[in-house]
Every structure is written in C-alpha cells, then in structure tokens.
Amino acid sequence: MELGRVAFLAGAFATHAVVGYALARGFTDADPRVGLVFGLLPDADFLFPAAWGWPLVHRGLTHTPLFAAAVVVGTYAIRRNRDLTLAVGLAIGSHLAIDSLSPLGIDWLFPVAATAGPGVPVHGPAMTGALWAASIAILAWRTDALRSLRRRVASSSRS
C-alpha cells in the first residue's frame, strides 16, 4: 500500500475515533472509550477478505443504518444501559453521517437500493480539521477541569 493511502486511512480512522469519543464524552455518562471503539466499528470491514464480495466489502453492510440499528439494539438488549446505548448510537451514527457525505456515500436504503453521497471531501484537510475542532470543542465543553478553572477565574475577577 502506498504511503499516501496509509496516511489517508490513518487520518480517517483517527477522525472517526475522535468524533465518536467526543460525542460519547460530551453527551453521555458512559465511558468515552466506547465512542472510540464504536466510532471505528464500521471500518472493521477492512478486515474482510476481498473474496467474500458484496456486501462484505468496505462501505458495504457495516456502513448501513440497518447494521447500526442492529448494533444499538443489540447493545441495549445485552447491557440494558441507556447511557451506554446512546454512546454506541452516537459513535456509530457519527461514522455513518461522516461517510455518507463523501463521494462514495453509504447505502442508506440497504438492502433495498444503493445510494451515493453528495461528494463532500469529508476526509480532506479542511473537513478533517473542522471535525477535529468540533470534537475538541465538545470535549472542552464537557471537561470538569475547564469548568473548575472558569469558576476560579470568575471568582478571582470579582475580588
């Protein structure tokens, strides 16, 4: 595999992991590492042998709302924890939302019909930067240490 492709994939994987982590941390009380894992889960299809063919290819079955719904329902059925289930849904949903904007898109209507995305370069430098900035903002908003610092600054400015 060429170096450019490796760098592209590393950036894409890191972005999906960070966005999933940030959403789980920002909007649930679940362990944010759940967001990291489930933000990457759809890309497990890279591990499938090419000989398996459709729909077990990249952007096949694991990149569909049907798969995401099965994972979310399965998580709730096994753990009966709404916070954990929400974290899983946010993380896997973020992956699908990001990839659905790319030129390849995802199959929103699988198994009924194939669809394509609008062609946004979601894994290009500008969108990657925007996704990372939004993730950092969510993490900063939810960071208890930052809230504590703001309170100290506010109380010292009143003195």
Side-chain angles (χ1 to χ4, degrees):
M1 191 179 298
E2 66 185 58
L3 184 60
R5 179 75 174 152
V6 170
F8 172 81
L9 289 175
F13 291 155
T15 299
H16 286 304
V18 166
V19 170
Y21 182 94
L23 290 172
R25 172 75 172 104
F27 298 104
T28 75
D29 289 325
D31 184 339
R33 292 175 294 186
V34 168
L36 187 147
V37 171
F38 285 89
L40 287 171
L41 182 63
D43 282 336
D45 57 15
F46 276 108
L47 302 173
F48 299 162
W52 286 0
W54 181 258
L56 301 175
V57 297
H58 184 57
R59 300 265 177 110
L61 179 63
T62 64
H63 281 75
T64 66
L66 181 64
F67 175 77
V71 169
V72 170
V73 168
T75 299
Y76 187 76
I78 292 168
R79 297 297 298 271
R80 300 280 185 203
N81 181 313
R82 289 182 182 177
D83 240 15
L84 175 65
T85 304
L86 178 59
V88 167
L90 287 170
I92 200 167
S94 71
H95 189 117
L96 297 185
I98 292 167
D99 281 0
S100 71
L101 296 173
S102 73
L104 291 176
I106 66 165
D107 286 335
W108 281 101
L109 302 175
F110 176 86
V112 177
T115 56
V120 177
V122 290
H123 293 301
M127 281 297 296
T128 296
L131 289 167
W132 278 73
S135 296
I136 291 168
I138 290 169
L139 290 170
W141 166 71
R142 183 67 193 259
T143 300
D144 298 331
L146 185 61
R147 279 193 217 115
S148 173
L149 176 63
R150 279 187 285 209
R151 275 186 251 142
R152 280 185 285 185
V153 169
S155 67
S156 67
S157 65
R158 284 185 240 138
S159 305

